[in-house]
Amino acid sequence: MLLPNLMKMIESHAEELTNEVLSDLGRNPRTPYFHKIPPEEMRRRIYDVYHNLGRWLAEKNDARIESAYNELGRRRRAEGIPLNEVVCAVILSKEHLWDYIRRNQGLHSAVELYQEEELIFMLGRFFDKALYHTVKGYEGTQVSSAAAARTGA
């Protein structure tokens, strides 16, 4: 079956994908605040997504995605990264992965094309959830800070 092979290919090339995203974040005019983040932290976070993609996609319970990406949103808010740049970074991670799949998959049949599209759909759902929970975590910190300011805490 092609789908498990695509997953293995992505996971085995996680380092290459991570380097592509890090390079893009470092030169992209839409992500200037990301230069403040220690490169090793960024590398670990991005590598984890790509290297463990099968596990992330197989999750039947969204609690782990919610927890991980809420924390990411809170951390980026605390680091002073604007929300639009956080969103852009998640989108870049997804786009690099899609580009990688398109570049490296030689499709020979309608079934293989269908399975690639199925994977793209699954990835889209994962990144949509990740983005939602990242924003939710980012805003949750903001709301908590605003609530604390109102109550004098």
Side-chain angles (χ1 to χ4, degrees):
M1 178 182 267
L2 181 67
L3 201 52
N5 291 338
L6 283 170
M7 298 302 296
K8 287 177 187 174
M9 180 184 73
I10 293 165
E11 290 174 350
S12 68
H13 290 92
E15 189 68 35
E16 176 185 341
L17 283 158
T18 299
N19 289 336
E20 287 179 15
V21 174
L22 286 172
S23 176
D24 196 356
L25 286 172
R27 70 180 191 285
N28 195 309
R30 296 181 295 167
T31 57
Y33 281 84
F34 271 84
H35 301 148
K36 297 178 181 180
I37 299 173
E40 281 311 306
E41 185 214 331
M42 290 295 302
R43 179 175 297 286
R44 274 192 312 276
R45 173 68 73 171
I46 296 166
Y47 181 83
D48 177 63
V49 171
Y50 293 144
H51 185 68
N52 297 303
L53 192 58
R55 179 180 53 91
W56 284 109
L57 294 179
E59 288 287 323
K60 299 299 181 207
N61 181 346
D62 289 349
R64 287 181 64 166
I65 294 170
E66 181 177 359
S67 175
Y69 284 92
N70 268 309
E71 171 58 28
L72 176 66
R74 286 190 295 274
R75 183 177 305 140
R76 294 299 177 250
R77 170 95 176 142
E79 292 167 339
I81 308 294
L83 182 56
N84 68 301
E85 291 191 33
V86 176
V87 169
C88 183
V90 174
I91 291 169
L92 287 173
S93 296
K94 178 175 71 172
E95 288 176 350
H96 276 277
L97 184 53
W98 283 1
D99 289 345
Y100 179 81
I101 291 168
R102 298 280 187 198
R103 277 192 324 257
N104 291 289
Q105 186 56 42
L107 300 175
H108 304 291
S109 71
V111 171
E112 290 173 336
L113 181 59
Y114 172 77
Q115 288 181 336
E116 179 183 301
E117 291 303 319
E118 182 180 355
L119 178 59
I120 296 284
F121 175 76
M122 291 168 63
L123 292 171
R125 288 188 60 187
F126 166 76
F127 279 101
D128 288 349
K129 290 175 189 178
L131 189 56
Y132 170 77
H133 291 298
T134 300
V135 170
K136 189 175 168 189
Y138 191 100
E139 291 176 341
T141 301
Q142 184 177 11
V143 171
S144 297
S145 297
R150 285 194 302 268
T151 62

